[in-house]
Amino acid sequence: MTIKVGDTMPTGSFGIMTKDGPGSMSTQDLFSKKKVAIFSVPGAFTPTCSMEHLPGFKNKASSLKEKGIDTIVCMAVNDVFVMDAWGKDRGVGDEMLMLADGNGEYAKALGLELDVSKFGLGMRGQRFSMVINDGVVEQLNVDPEGFKLSSAECMLNQL
């Protein structure tokens, strides 16, 4: 079943690069008592994700925080090393967390997995964005094709 507005986020964990190497972040630590903007991309270093989606959230980070967002998260079905390298390549710094859903388990728990095997990419996460308030979905935008609904601009307009 696909997650929807009003639902509680499923329990899980993400990979995150720490100063000591690969680590883990639980959904409890991520969402508890915080307003979180999370966006998911089908893959790090892919054209739309690298040139539009991630930079949109990086460039709008201060505006999102002015509207009450505590944490901005970029999530993808990639490993923690790829997410860390992509964040460094795109210069995200402390603007957002780069979280790895290495095996796509969280995308599947959300009901937002994407089979792109026909392109040699296997199972990924759909392109989407959400606003989560203390673990509850307040806003959900899924792009069925292309890139528009899950943009930082769209999120800002809905806050």
Side-chain angles (χ1 to χ4, degrees):
M1 178 176 276
T2 303
I3 193 122
K4 61 189 181 309
V5 172
D7 286 352
T8 299
M9 292 295 279
T11 301
S13 64
F14 299 97
I16 186 168
M17 189 59 74
T18 72
K19 62 181 172 77
D20 299 320
S24 181
M25 177 174 276
S26 72
T27 51
Q28 174 71 22
D29 290 338
L30 180 60
F31 299 127
S32 181
K33 296 180 178 31
K34 292 180 230 154
K35 194 165 193 171
V36 178
I38 185 169
F39 67 101
S40 172
V41 297
F45 292 106
T46 57
T48 302
C49 305
S50 289
M51 305 310 280
E52 296 182 60
H53 208 173
L54 186 143
F57 277 89
K58 179 184 175 225
N59 295 336
K60 300 288 185 189
S62 60
S63 298
L64 287 162
K65 290 181 179 181
E66 286 171 10
K67 294 251 187 166
I69 297 296
D70 298 306
T71 306
I72 301 169
V73 172
C74 176
M75 172 187 131
V77 178
N78 285 112
D79 65 65
V80 68
F81 296 100
V82 169
M83 292 301 287
D84 182 55
W86 190 38
K88 287 176 180 170
D89 179 73
R90 298 284 101 190
V92 300
D94 294 332
E95 295 292 336
M96 68 183 74
L97 299 176
M98 302 296 289
L99 298 184
D101 182 16
N103 294 321
E105 293 167 357
Y106 205 75
K108 187 173 183 176
L110 294 171
L112 294 170
E113 69 272 24
L114 175 68
D115 186 354
V116 284
S117 298
K118 67 182 177 183
F119 302 113
L121 299 171
M123 293 300 288
R124 299 293 179 111
Q126 292 184 48
R127 185 180 304 281
F128 66 84
S129 67
M130 287 191 243
V131 172
I132 313 301
N133 194 351
D134 196 20
V136 177
V137 180
E138 284 191 342
Q139 185 186 121
L140 172 62
N141 295 294
V142 180
D143 278 307
E145 292 181 8
F147 166 68
K148 181 181 177 185
L149 299 175
S150 63
S151 71
E153 292 80 9
C154 185
M155 181 179 282
L156 272 170
N157 289 334
Q158 293 176 346
L159 285 171

